[in-house]
Each structure stands twice: as structure tokens, then as C-alpha cells.
Amino acid sequence: MAFTLQIGEKAPEFSLPATDGKTYDLDHFAEARILVVFFTCNHCPFVLGSNETTRKVAEHYQNKGVRFVAINSNSEETHPKDSFKYMVEQMNEEKFPWVYLRDQSQDAARAYGALRTPHFFVFDQERKLVYTGRELDNPRQPEKATVNDLDRALSELTDEKSVTIPLTNPIGCNVKWNGQDAHWMPGEACDLV
């Protein structure tokens, strides 16, 4: 069985606390035509490099029925800057156009099969996976990126088309797993393509 959610599979349920003080599950986003769930964190240079690109994409598609949900599953033991306290600080400073959820147990990361930060999962109205992988081909230095796979997928979906490239490899830091070395990944976790 694959570690990462496969194209066509349903979005796994979650119930996670957000930096705004509320708890969210999938039903909170039922009105979204397209749902983007992405695994991120506070410190990774690939995330920090691409956050503003992700903001622009989220803002561009918000009037087309697309909602973004960010999940931080990183162990704060491995990286203290990934604690909930720092998540709240980051959202207060940056005011990103998405809800930012804390996956302390890492159950959501396992259910989705998150490999890296950032790692994007795009679901259609039936909450079936239609795209997963990277946003940019150079998230650490977005000014050098030559393609935005997330934007292309959302453009196709909002134009009622099929996603032409549904699978790419996420590029970024690996998820920091509880009780493991900072560079450890589950044995069954591997590249998507």
C-alpha cells in the first residue's frame, strides 16, 4: 500500500485546532468547490521561500470557490520553531489567507501521506484527490522557478478541465516525525513519480 494518498482517493477526515482558536474538520470547508490541503511548517526554507507565491495563488482562486487549508505536523521536539505558539505568531504577523492547523499527533500527516514541507493535495467537489505534489519547481528560490504546478492544476480545474499533470514530487524539507532523527522518513515513504 502506498504511503501517500493516491489520485482518486477521498480526503481523509481530520479535526484539528487552528491558530484562530477554533477547531476545524473537513465539513467546515464543505462550500469549497476545490479544497487545497497542504502540509507546511514555520521554519523550512522551502516553505519560507514559497509562502508569498502560495499566498498569491490562494488569493487568485478564492473567488473561484477554492479554499486553502495549511497543516503543520512537524515535531516541535525536532524543531521548536514548529510549535503552536510560533504558528500563532506567524499567522498574526503574516495574515495568510488560509486556516493554519496543528497536527500534534501527526495522524493527519500519516493519513494523507505527507512527505515534505510544502506538500500540496488538491481535492475536487466530491473531495477526491485530483493533484498532489509540489507547487513550484524551485520553492526555495521562487524567482528561479520555471513552473507552478499547483497554479496550473487549479487553473485547469476552475476551467472545468481535467488536471493534465496530476502527480509531481513535492520539493522541500521532510516532515519532522516525533521521536525520530530530523532527516528520518517512514520506510514506505518514497517519491511519487
Side-chain angles (χ1 to χ4, degrees):
M1 187 168 139
F3 178 74
T4 301
L5 204 64
Q6 301 292 289
I7 298 300
E9 290 187 315
K10 295 278 275 188
E13 293 290 343
F14 56 77
S15 180
L16 298 170
T19 56
D20 64 6
K22 300 175 187 171
T23 297
Y24 290 86
D25 56 36
L26 276 179
D27 288 342
H28 283 94
F29 310 101
E31 85 293 345
R33 196 171 135 216
I34 297 161
L35 184 65
V36 179
V37 175
F38 69 107
F39 289 81
T40 187
C41 66
N42 299 333
H43 80 277
C44 170
F46 296 89
V47 169
L48 297 176
S50 60
N51 268 340
E52 287 308 311
T53 301
T54 308
R55 181 199 300 272
K56 287 177 187 155
V57 172
E59 288 173 346
H60 178 77
Y61 290 99
Q62 66 186 0
N63 292 330
K64 298 182 180 187
V66 180
R67 287 286 305 271
F68 276 62
V69 178
I71 300 176
N72 180 357
S73 300
N74 274 3
S75 169
E76 61 193 65
E77 294 164 19
T78 310
H79 220 291
K81 285 276 188 186
D82 281 327
S83 72
F84 189 74
K85 173 188 163 208
Y86 286 107
M87 290 172 58
V88 171
E89 285 180 14
Q90 186 186 65
M91 285 300 280
N92 286 340
E93 288 172 19
E94 301 293 341
K95 304 199 179 344
F96 289 123
W98 48 72
V99 294
Y100 194 12
L101 308 178
R102 181 66 175 139
D103 176 27
Q104 187 82 30
S105 69
Q106 302 188 313
D107 289 344
R110 280 188 284 279
Y112 282 76
L115 297 172
R116 304 196 175 277
T117 54
H119 188 168
F120 294 85
F121 296 82
V122 179
F123 298 93
D124 65 14
Q125 197 145 21
E126 297 173 358
R127 295 302 174 254
K128 289 184 179 173
L129 185 67
V130 291
Y131 174 80
T132 188
R134 68 190 184 190
E135 177 178 32
L136 300 172
D137 60 349
N138 193 342
R140 194 170 186 162
Q141 298 174 289
E143 69 280 359
K144 294 183 179 178
T146 61
V147 66
N148 188 324
D149 291 289
L150 177 65
D151 182 64
R152 179 182 51 232
L154 293 176
S155 176
E156 290 169 343
L157 287 167
T158 55
D159 285 343
E160 307 292 334
K161 297 175 184 170
S162 296
V163 177
T164 53
I165 302 173
L167 203 58
T168 61
N169 285 323
I171 299 172
C173 303
N174 61 296
V175 171
K176 306 304 182 212
W177 297 95
N178 290 327
Q180 300 292 341
D181 173 81
H183 300 288
W184 181 86
M185 291 182 82
E188 63 277 21
C190 59
D191 285 348
L192 304 180
V193 291

